[in-house]
């Protein structure tokens, strides 16, 4: 049964190869001092940095540069960004980059006016912000996380070996996001496919839960088919604008809160992947790819009807004369062969995980109860061993 829910997503999107010009419409709505958040320099290589600086200047903004946001942003970087924002009394945070920059901007936004320690408050105690929130806008250059239209913000604490996401409410979501597929063309293939798998898995996490007849699951199947279709075109020809734009749009819809409405969700692949990330600092999408098949093969028997439907609807497996289990297994085999075609990491050892880390990774894996089977610690260890 479709449960009770509310739905509201306040982020305004500008999509397409001319979308950057709309920054001129958005900037006047916010104060004078803008903290420009970006990563290790890819935006300079593609010429986007110069374009953004010109637009900020034309709009009379004072620019406070906050460069060097690393993939999997750290708590130290967060504290540095907060100090910078306080010192310069910033009015607006403009993130230009991928999920790491967007997530980081949201974390800074709820911490600038907060007296508490942000890591402890938001990522350990999962409290909501009570302070003034500095507004955030995003210009996306890497597609996958959905951070451009959600309240998610993932921060890594290497000292504590924890990578934790807080899903903030509407008040923290970006005020606007600019989605120009052209900017994603320069992504190295490894980043592109990691992002593609991140999208696919976001959909799986929301799909593999519940037994009901839910509209969200039909939307999820359509999104998965679109991602698989476009991904195969994009790996052959990364310059294919149509495929890259479909991937970008699917990423946003995969995790902008729509397809989880009225249903339960799983998220165990992310819990496993994030803990692997805390130990290895590996690319997010790759950590998910490496643990997915052992996880799904473990829980498949507890949600057989859905895994059969996944095989038939997403992978066009013909079920005639086969048991439900055979059909479900064929679906996962088709998914595996697609993952290999993309060149995804299929083991956590290739991401730097070693046998002696398994106990700690299992310890750092949050156990959630929305999926078809609540995992035991032993099952988590078993899945991690199968992922080696
Ligand atoms: O730092 P630069 O030089 O910009 O290079 C980046 C970075 O090295 C590069 N890149 C980005 N755009 C590029 C480009 N290189 C060439 N051309 C371009 N156009 O790509 C690398 C990865 O960027 P990053 O932002 O780290 O990737 P992604 O978008 O996958 O973000 C990953 C972070 O998001 C979190 C992950 O855990 C991870 O910390 N997530 C956030 C979620 C959310 N907000 O809801 C959900 C996700 O499940 C995920 O957990
Ligand atoms: Zn993800």
């Amino acid at each position: 049964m479709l449960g009770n829910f509310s739905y509201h997503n306040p982020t305004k999107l500008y999509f397409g190869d001319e979308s950057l010009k709309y920054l001129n419409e958005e900037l006047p709505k916010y104060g004078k001092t803008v903290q420009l958040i970006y990563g290790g320099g890819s935006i300079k290589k593609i010429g986007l940095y110069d374009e953004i600086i010109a637009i900020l200047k034309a709009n009379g903004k004072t620019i406070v540069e906050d460069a060097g946001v690393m993939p999997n942003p750290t708590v130290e970087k967060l504290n540095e960004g907060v100090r910078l924002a306080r010192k310069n009394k910033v009015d607006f945070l403009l993130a230009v980059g991928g999920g790491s920059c967007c997530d980081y901007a949201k974390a800074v936004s709820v911490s600038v006016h907060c007296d508490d320690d942000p890591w402890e408050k938001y990522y350990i105690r999962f409290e909501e912000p009570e302070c003034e929130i500095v507004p955030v806008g995003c210009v996306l250059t890497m597609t996958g996380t959905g951070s451009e239209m959600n309240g998610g913000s993932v921060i890594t604490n290497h000292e504590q070996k924890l990578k934790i996401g807080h899903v903030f409410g509407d008040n923290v979501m970006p005020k606007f996001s600019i989605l120009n597929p052209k900017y994603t063309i320069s992504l190295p293939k490894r980043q592109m496919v990691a992002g593609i798998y991140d999208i696919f898995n976001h959909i799986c996490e929301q799909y593999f839960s519940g037994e009901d007849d839910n509209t969200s699951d039909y939307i999820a199947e359509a999104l998965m088919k679109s991602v698989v279709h476009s991904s195969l075109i994009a790996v052959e020809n990364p310059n294919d604008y149509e495929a890259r734009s479909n991937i970008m749009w699917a990423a946003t819809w995969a995790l902008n809160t729509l397809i989880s409405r009225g249903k339960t969700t799983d998220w165990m692949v992310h819990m496993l992947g994030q803990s692997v990330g805390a130990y290895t600092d590996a690319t997010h999408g790759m950590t998910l790819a490496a643990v997915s098949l052992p996880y799904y093969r473990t829980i498949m028997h507890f949600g057989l009807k859905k895994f059969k439907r996944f095989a038939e609807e997403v992978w066009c497996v013909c079920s005639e004369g086969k048991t439900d289990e055979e059909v479900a297994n064929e679906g996962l085999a088709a998914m595996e062969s697609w993952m290999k075609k993309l060149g995804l990491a299929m083991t956590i050892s290739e991401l730097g995980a070693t046998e002696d880390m398994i106990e700690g990774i299992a310890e750092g894996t949050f156990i959630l109860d929305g999926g078809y089977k609540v995992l035991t610690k032993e099952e988590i260890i078993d899945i991690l061993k199968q992922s080696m």
Side-chain angles (χ1 to χ4, degrees):
M1 188 191 82
L2 203 58
N4 297 307
F5 62 87
S6 69
Y7 183 68
H8 171 66
N9 192 315
T11 304
K12 182 163 185 176
L13 299 177
Y14 296 97
F15 192 96
D17 63 354
E18 291 182 3
S19 50
L20 189 64
K21 67 182 181 203
Y22 294 101
L23 196 51
N24 289 301
E25 279 185 21
E26 289 295 332
L27 287 174
K29 298 178 189 167
Y30 305 98
K32 191 171 166 58
T33 308
V34 177
Q35 186 156 331
L36 175 61
I37 291 167
Y38 59 97
S42 68
I43 67 161
K44 290 190 173 163
K45 281 193 206 137
I46 62 175
L48 179 58
Y49 173 85
D50 291 339
E51 284 186 77
I52 301 258
I53 294 284
I55 295 175
L56 286 167
K57 283 188 177 160
N59 283 274
K61 302 293 180 184
T62 303
I63 305 164
V64 176
E65 292 221 17
D66 185 1
V69 177
M70 62 292 284
N72 311 320
T74 63
V75 68
E76 290 81 12
K77 179 65 188 167
L78 166 61
N79 292 335
E80 185 189 307
V82 171
R83 281 194 295 275
L84 193 66
R86 285 180 183 159
K87 185 170 152 224
N88 294 284
K89 298 192 169 46
V90 304
D91 303 302
F92 189 69
L93 302 165
L94 183 64
V96 185
S100 292
C101 288
C102 303
D103 280 19
Y104 166 84
K106 289 177 225 171
V108 172
S109 82
V110 294
S111 305
V112 179
H113 300 289
C114 172
D115 298 330
D116 219 328
D117 176 72
W119 171 257
E120 290 292 327
K121 181 178 172 67
Y122 300 123
Y123 297 92
I124 297 293
R125 300 199 302 270
F126 287 101
E127 290 171 11
E128 293 312 315
E130 288 123 24
C131 59
E132 182 190 334
I133 297 162
V134 182
V136 171
C138 302
V139 179
L140 204 65
T141 65
M142 150 94 196
T143 184
T145 65
S147 189
E148 66 275 13
M149 204 186 191
N150 69 35
S153 170
V154 184
I155 297 293
T156 299
N157 186 322
H158 286 298
E159 200 182 82
Q160 297 178 11
K161 292 220 176 322
L162 290 172
K163 182 176 183 185
I164 299 178
H166 184 129
V167 182
F168 292 102
D170 295 5
N171 48 355
V172 183
M173 289 187 191
K175 300 293 171 209
F176 64 86
S177 283
I178 290 175
L179 275 56
N180 183 339
K182 241 176 31 187
Y183 301 145
T184 68
I185 303 271
S186 58
L187 274 168
K189 183 182 170 228
R190 192 181 155 80
Q191 289 295 344
M192 177 184 82
V193 297
I196 288 170
Y197 191 73
D198 194 20
I199 306 169
F200 190 82
N201 190 255
H202 290 159
I203 309 169
C204 290
E205 299 275 32
Q206 297 163 95
Y207 181 75
F208 287 122
S209 180
E211 300 259 320
D212 41 2
D213 181 21
N214 191 306
T215 299
S216 292
D217 289 334
Y218 294 90
I219 302 173
E221 284 160 359
L223 284 171
M224 286 192 270
K225 284 198 260 194
S226 163
V227 172
V228 171
H229 173 76
S230 299
S231 69
L232 292 171
I233 298 170
V235 280
E236 279 299 312
N237 178 12
N239 295 323
D240 190 304
Y241 181 83
E242 188 175 48
R244 299 306 287 264
S245 51
N246 282 327
I247 291 166
M248 193 171 213
W249 191 220
T252 304
W253 284 97
L255 197 52
N256 71 354
T257 71
L258 176 81
I259 63 167
S260 61
R261 291 309 89 182
K263 75 184 297 286
T264 53
T265 55
D266 181 354
W267 292 106
M268 272 317 292
V269 169
H270 271 67
M271 295 304 104
L272 288 156
Q274 275 177 207
S275 195
V276 170
Y279 275 75
T280 60
D281 206 25
T283 301
H284 171 67
M286 292 301 190
T287 65
L288 307 177
V291 299
S292 281
L293 285 159
Y295 173 67
Y296 288 131
R297 287 185 173 129
T298 301
I299 64 155
M300 189 191 88
H301 308 279
F302 301 92
L304 200 53
K305 239 173 81 184
K306 195 60 154 288
F307 278 90
K308 178 179 181 239
R309 174 173 164 176
F310 174 68
E312 290 171 335
E313 298 300 326
V314 181
W315 301 103
C316 303
V317 172
C318 167
S319 51
E320 223 179 278
K322 296 172 195 158
T323 64
D324 288 357
E325 197 166 337
E326 283 166 346
V327 177
N329 269 322
E330 273 189 46
L332 291 178
M335 176 170 134
E336 181 171 4
S337 98
W338 167 69
M339 290 168 76
K340 286 181 175 161
K341 252 184 230 161
L342 257 51
L344 291 162
M346 302 303 282
T347 62
I348 58 172
S349 42
E350 65 197 270
L351 300 174
T354 47
E355 290 283 348
D356 60 320
M357 290 179 186
I358 287 187
E359 184 68 33
I361 295 174
E363 203 54 54
T365 301
F366 288 37
I367 300 176
L368 305 178
D369 61 2
Y372 290 120
K373 164 87 180 66
V374 180
L375 296 182
T376 61
K377 172 117 182 269
E378 290 66 39
E379 284 168 328
I380 291 179
I381 289 183
D382 202 43
I383 289 166
L384 292 170
K385 282 188 176 157
Q386 287 177 52
S387 311
M388 283 299 285

